[in-house]
Amino acid sequence: MRTKRNYPVSLAVIVAVFLSGGLFAMMGANVFGIGNKTGVESRAAESVPVVDVLPEATTLEDSFTQVVERVNPAVVQIQAENVPTDWNPDEPRTNPFENTPFGNFFRDFDFNVPQIPRRGLGSGVLIRPDGHILTNNHVIENMNELTVIAMDGTEYDARVIGADPVSDVAVIKIDAEALPFVGMGDSDHIKVGQWVMAFGSPIEASLSNTVTAGIISATGRIRVGNGISNDETASGPAPTYNFIQTDAAINPGNSGGPLVNLRGELVGINTAIITRTGGYQGIGFAIPVNTVRNVADQLISTGRVERGKLGVSYGPASEALVEALNLPQGAAVVGSVVTGSAAENAGIRPGDVIVSLNGKQLSDHQQLSLWIGAMKPGDYADVEVNREGDRKTFRIKLGGWENNGSPLAENENAPDAIGDRLMGELGIALSNVTPDMAREEGFEEETVEGVIVTDIDPTSYAAREANLRRGAIISEIDRKKIRNLKEFETVYENIEEGKAFIVRLRTPNGGAGITALRKPQAQEE
């Protein structure tokens, strides 16, 4: 524990506020015709009727102040530093290029210039009386000195208990007892329009324990970290976030601070904003407390987070496929399946369309990674798929990740297509796949069966609804395999006019994608 730190308040700010307040008072007096009277204060009091405060307003006001009194003592400021450990000002550094061809070039360079520590400011909230504090991973990541400052100014050194880059949640601890803390609510039962309050240290250290209020603007704001897509074939789980959106003011420095309801319960951890100015613009995001609780409990008990793994890469179903198979809008199309994974062992195939998990229908394909990630290795998941129009449910024992890795590289699921003379009907041109074309699309094989989309009308149904792109390789149409353009045209000719048909695509990693096209009705002469 350290001594209290006091932050000076600028006299200029106080004077400015006083003067502006005085100016407002004089203007108000003139507006109401009071300034031309003697004894302004007494006469003003006599001329303005007294209105009783509405009891509802008093009750709401009391609710806010009671929450502040209850929560603010548990809110802390976190000052983080990355202090270089390999530089000693008392030990002059030698030229590292000495006795190399570059030695003379760097001879006059000063290698004793100290490295400047990197500093960061964030917020946190005590969740246990023994000093456990919740914050964001990005507040403490790559920092080697953490200072926690309580509301009363007391400073503590802190250590990291565990951090999870995937959820952006971290737990740190200070050595103290009988501290105030905030209890956790249930983010599954929050509602849009509900009042919430955000706490933290926005912008600068002197603004610690700032409180703002607003409402929950939306829930289930799913965002994928760094623009990556869902690919369980990589080395770690995808950082996919299911945010609470709020208009309570959140600014840089608020990260890691609590978002609470009017019962004083933690409902989220403030973590991000959308802004074009660098500051608050009415759109802030918080990690739901149920996600935070799951991660924090694991970090405190083991220092790491375990997540279930299905073992597939996937993407959204195209509008054309949704229409053709009568799928829910959030359906997830399996692009590839990891060899030896839980999904492969259960019988999931590339091209399967996942429509629900444990009886809950997907409303957004990104929910799949969120729901699987909330489960643990060894848990059983009931995965319902649509396989070429037939519904099947697989009971799958989930695997786990060897490590919690970092953000994944983007995995693109291939689109759809059609042939050269069919440009007028389907809006696409096709050709046989040459070895050069196959190599250009990432295939290692010299011979790739199927046809490749060589051109596409961007205004066509194939481009807009079926999400086909140039370079897509089609291996099957109307549930019949095709090896070349001739076989494609033969199958296509036998498809009934006006009928929607399934198109299966090949990807270089052995996976598959599916979509749907519709053969147009013949035009009457």
Side-chain angles (χ1 to χ4, degrees):
M1 184 182 300
R2 304 179 190 168
T3 57
K4 296 182 179 180
R5 175 182 295 181
N6 294 317
Y7 296 101
V9 179
S10 172
L11 179 60
V13 173
I14 297 175
V15 171
V17 172
F18 177 79
L19 291 176
S20 62
L23 178 60
F24 180 83
M26 288 186 290
M27 291 173 62
N30 288 329
V31 168
F32 291 104
I34 300 171
N36 59 354
K37 301 179 182 179
T38 59
V40 170
E41 293 185 2
S42 60
R43 302 299 272 288
E46 293 172 2
S47 60
V48 178
V50 176
V51 179
D52 291 334
V53 178
L54 295 174
E56 293 81 359
T58 303
T59 301
L60 180 60
E61 184 180 84
D62 289 343
S63 297
F64 281 107
T65 57
Q66 288 168 13
V67 170
V68 172
E69 291 168 357
R70 177 179 177 179
V71 172
N72 226 354
V75 177
V76 300
Q77 182 179 109
I78 300 173
Q79 296 183 3
E81 280 189 306
N82 185 337
V83 180
T85 57
D86 60 345
W87 181 77
N88 186 343
D90 298 327
E91 295 180 6
R93 290 186 174 184
T94 59
N95 183 352
F97 299 97
E98 198 70 49
N99 300 320
T100 74
F102 304 100
N104 289 332
F105 183 82
F106 288 100
R107 190 171 304 282
D108 297 326
F109 188 83
D110 184 6
F111 289 96
N112 288 310
V113 177
Q115 301 179 51
I116 300 174
R118 185 164 62 90
R119 295 182 173 88
L121 177 70
S123 306
V125 58
L126 285 152
I127 55 169
R128 296 187 180 183
D130 61 357
H132 282 90
I133 297 169
L134 277 175
T135 188
N136 286 140
N137 173 71
H138 73 259
V139 170
I140 56 94
E141 189 174 28
N142 299 322
M143 299 296 190
N144 54 21
E145 288 191 9
L146 300 176
T147 300
V148 168
I149 304 174
M151 184 179 177
D152 64 2
T154 305
E155 296 186 6
Y156 302 87
D157 292 326
R159 66 183 186 277
V160 177
I161 298 299
D164 180 43
V166 175
S167 64
D168 198 24
V169 173
V171 178
I172 63 176
K173 191 177 186 305
I174 59 177
D175 292 327
E177 298 292 338
L179 296 170
F181 67 97
V182 175
M184 296 191 186
D186 185 352
S187 52
D188 286 345
H189 292 96
I190 61 175
K191 297 179 180 179
V192 175
Q194 180 180 328
W195 281 104
V196 286
M197 303 175 73
F199 294 72
S201 298
I203 310 298
E204 60 182 63
S206 62
L207 299 178
S208 62
N209 294 85
T210 294
V211 184
T212 60
I215 63 169
I216 292 174
S217 306
T219 59
R221 292 297 198 202
I222 298 178
R223 303 180 69 82
V224 180
N226 300 324
I228 65 170
S229 62
N230 298 287
D231 185 0
E232 288 197 336
T233 64
S235 60
T240 305
Y241 309 109
N242 179 24
F243 287 137
I244 299 168
Q245 182 183 331
T246 179
D247 65 352
I250 296 174
N251 284 287
N254 277 117
S255 289
L259 186 73
V260 304
N261 59 25
L262 291 192
R263 291 186 294 275
E265 298 170 329
L266 186 68
V267 296
I269 292 294
N270 304 321
T271 190
I273 59 175
I274 289 181
T275 176
R276 294 181 178 177
T277 65
Y280 169 71
Q281 287 193 300
I283 305 175
F285 297 105
I287 306 168
V289 71
N290 289 2
T291 299
V292 172
R293 180 191 290 109
N294 177 40
V295 172
D297 287 348
Q298 294 186 65
L299 291 177
I300 292 172
S301 60
T302 66
R304 63 189 300 270
V305 179
E306 290 189 325
R307 291 180 171 86
K309 179 181 180 181
L310 191 58
V312 298
S313 67
Y314 59 92
S318 67
E319 287 295 327
L321 188 62
V322 168
E323 181 181 348
L325 295 182
N326 192 27
L327 301 171
Q329 286 294 330
V333 179
V334 176
S336 62
V337 180
V338 178
T339 301
S341 67
E344 185 188 59
N345 294 338
I348 299 292
R349 303 175 188 170
D352 283 346
V353 184
I354 299 175
V355 296
S356 73
L357 181 71
N358 294 331
K360 294 171 63 178
Q361 183 172 289
L362 295 172
S363 59
D364 186 310
H365 74 283
Q366 305 283 11
Q367 289 175 324
L368 185 60
S369 65
L370 290 170
W371 294 349
I372 292 291
M375 303 174 74
K376 291 186 172 58
D379 288 349
Y380 283 89
D382 293 325
V383 180
E384 183 184 6
V385 306
N386 184 307
R387 179 174 291 172
E388 299 180 347
D390 296 328
R391 293 283 183 113
K392 297 176 179 289
T393 299
F394 298 86
R395 187 162 179 77
I396 302 176
K397 184 178 181 180
L398 297 178
W401 299 92
E402 293 182 4
N403 58 66
N404 289 322
S406 40
L408 314 174
E410 183 168 356
N411 177 67
E412 297 182 358
N413 292 311
D416 326 10
I418 272 194
D420 215 349
R421 69 180 181 83
L422 303 174
M423 175 64 80
E425 290 186 22
L426 297 175
I428 56 173
L430 299 176
S431 77
N432 292 321
V433 185
T434 66
D436 287 340
M437 288 177 176
R439 282 192 294 270
E440 188 174 335
E441 295 305 319
F443 288 86
E444 295 181 358
E445 310 99 294
E446 283 290 323
T447 303
V448 175
E449 294 184 343
V451 294
I452 188 168
V453 179
T454 58
D455 197 11
I456 188 165
D457 178 358
T459 65
S460 66
Y461 180 89
R464 292 184 292 105
E465 305 297 333
N467 293 336
L468 282 177
R469 299 291 182 269
R470 183 180 300 179
I473 294 178
I474 299 173
S475 61
E476 180 180 312
I477 64 168
D478 200 28
R479 299 174 184 170
K480 298 177 179 63
K481 290 185 178 181
I482 53 107
R483 293 174 294 177
N484 49 47
L485 186 57
K486 183 176 181 179
E487 291 185 358
F488 178 94
E489 292 178 344
T490 299
V491 175
Y492 180 76
E493 291 298 331
N494 291 322
I495 296 174
E496 182 181 343
E497 292 178 355
K499 176 187 174 183
F501 57 96
I502 301 299
V503 177
R504 187 179 292 270
L505 308 168
R506 287 196 58 182
T507 58
N509 59 4
I514 60 173
T515 187
L517 291 171
R518 185 179 297 277
K519 188 173 183 178
Q521 296 278 2
Q523 299 292 322
E524 295 184 0
E525 297 293 337

